[in-house]
Amino acid sequence: MKKIPQISICFLMVFCMLLLFASRCKKVDTNEEANNFTDSRDGNNYKTVKIGNQVWLAENLKYLPSIAGPEIGSRTTPYYYVYDYNGTSIEDAKATVNYKTYGVLYNWEAAKVACPKGWHLPSDEEWKQLIDYLGGGDVAGGKLKEIGTTLWNSPNTEATDVVGFTALPGGRRNYNGEFVNIRDFGLWWCATELYTNLAFLRGMAYDGGYVSNLEDDKAVGLSVRCVKD
């Protein structure tokens, strides 16, 4: 029987070791890109996703340490709202479909402190980094939005959710105390202040694949997505 040269055996052994090492590295990357995070404050479990060099919660934040009715607002005191809920019971608010599906609406002061330890409210620049990575504001919204018209109103234009961000349209609590635009618009606070009474936010709509760069009064209630420190 013809012998296999010793150098070939050594080459095969090295090649196999490299393959094993590569497969292990790939597994680590996969776990990092699609994982889960449990908030120790309330036990809420969130999907997370790595997009570029950032790790984001892949769900709207649900942290609810207190509950305010929509008629109560402030630019300086943290307030937490659940869409269409007008009561004082945190337990009852958490039992609503809107809380379970779309999370909590935060005024800007609440949004700044709502993310769990190890995470933070993204700055305007961090949102920009995400959007630029996905090709810019004209197309990034489609790549970020949950697909279909179960949770977004029709036509949910260009929605593909190709990166697993699963953006959902939680609407807003207006400055005048009204809840509006659920299923039409997803609106998320940035940590970046514009003026004493205004801060930046990002918006996505049911009828477009874009991401809007906006600003609004700090007293309104908007959704929050946290990014990892």
Side-chain angles (χ1 to χ4, degrees), residues 137-171:
D138 290 341
V139 297
K143 297 176 182 179
L144 293 167
K145 290 192 297 178
E146 163 83 352
I147 62 174
T149 55
T150 301
L151 302 178
W152 282 88
N153 279 332
S154 181
N156 197 14
T157 304
E158 298 179 18
T160 61
D161 197 23
V162 292
V163 291
F165 188 85
T166 316
L168 291 177

Side-chain angles (χ1 to χ4, degrees), residues 30 82 100 168-169 171-172 185:
T30 301
V82 172
K100 294 175 182 178
L168 291 177
R172 56 186 278 134
F185 299 106

Side-chain angles (χ1 to χ4, degrees), residues 124 127-128 130-131 136-142 144-145 152 165 167-172 181 184-190 199-216 222-223 225:
D124 182 70
W127 270 105
K128 185 177 184 298
L130 171 67
I131 292 162
D138 290 341
V139 297
L144 293 167
K145 290 192 297 178
W152 282 88
F165 188 85
L168 291 177
R172 56 186 278 134
N181 298 134
D184 286 334
F185 299 106
L187 302 161
W188 296 271
W189 280 122
C190 299
F200 286 108
L201 64 123
R202 289 299 190 276
M204 301 175 208
Y206 75 103
D207 59 353
Y210 52 86
V211 179
S212 297
N213 186 4
L214 307 166
E215 64 274 344
D216 211 334
L222 306 179
S223 299
R225 287 292 180 107

Side-chain angles (χ1 to χ4, degrees), residues 37-219:
F37 169 80
T38 299
D39 189 342
S40 61
R41 298 172 299 180
D42 56 16
N44 271 314
N45 184 265
Y46 299 92
K47 293 178 182 178
T48 68
V49 62
K50 185 178 181 183
I51 306 173
N53 294 320
Q54 299 172 311
V55 178
W56 291 78
L57 292 187
E59 303 175 44
N60 290 347
L61 190 65
K62 296 179 179 178
Y63 178 58
L64 188 64
S66 63
I67 184 73
E71 73 283 356
I72 302 171
S74 174
R75 293 174 181 152
T76 56
T77 301
Y79 282 114
Y80 307 79
Y81 309 92
V82 172
Y83 197 100
D84 270 350
Y85 180 78
N86 189 4
T88 58
S89 169
I90 295 175
E91 183 179 356
D92 289 347
K94 287 184 174 182
T96 65
V97 172
N98 286 335
Y99 170 83
K100 294 175 182 178
T101 305
Y102 298 104
V104 173
L105 300 176
Y106 304 83
N107 71 357
W108 192 66
E109 283 298 316
K112 289 192 300 178
V113 298
C115 291
K117 184 177 180 181
W119 300 77
H120 62 274
L121 184 69
S123 66
D124 182 70
E125 183 58 35
E126 286 173 310
W127 270 105
K128 185 177 184 298
Q129 182 180 336
L130 171 67
I131 292 162
D132 287 348
Y133 180 80
L134 296 175
D138 290 341
V139 297
K143 297 176 182 179
L144 293 167
K145 290 192 297 178
E146 163 83 352
I147 62 174
T149 55
T150 301
L151 302 178
W152 282 88
N153 279 332
S154 181
N156 197 14
T157 304
E158 298 179 18
T160 61
D161 197 23
V162 292
V163 291
F165 188 85
T166 316
L168 291 177
R172 56 186 278 134
R173 177 260 176 197
N174 268 350
Y175 182 77
N176 64 4
E178 296 179 327
F179 289 120
V180 295
N181 298 134
I182 197 168
R183 294 173 54 85
D184 286 334
F185 299 106
L187 302 161
W188 296 271
W189 280 122
C190 299
T192 306
E193 183 181 51
L194 180 60
Y195 298 116
T196 304
N197 62 327
L198 298 175
F200 286 108
L201 64 123
R202 289 299 190 276
M204 301 175 208
Y206 75 103
D207 59 353
Y210 52 86
V211 179
S212 297
N213 186 4
L214 307 166
E215 64 274 344
D216 211 334
D217 195 291
K218 294 177 182 179

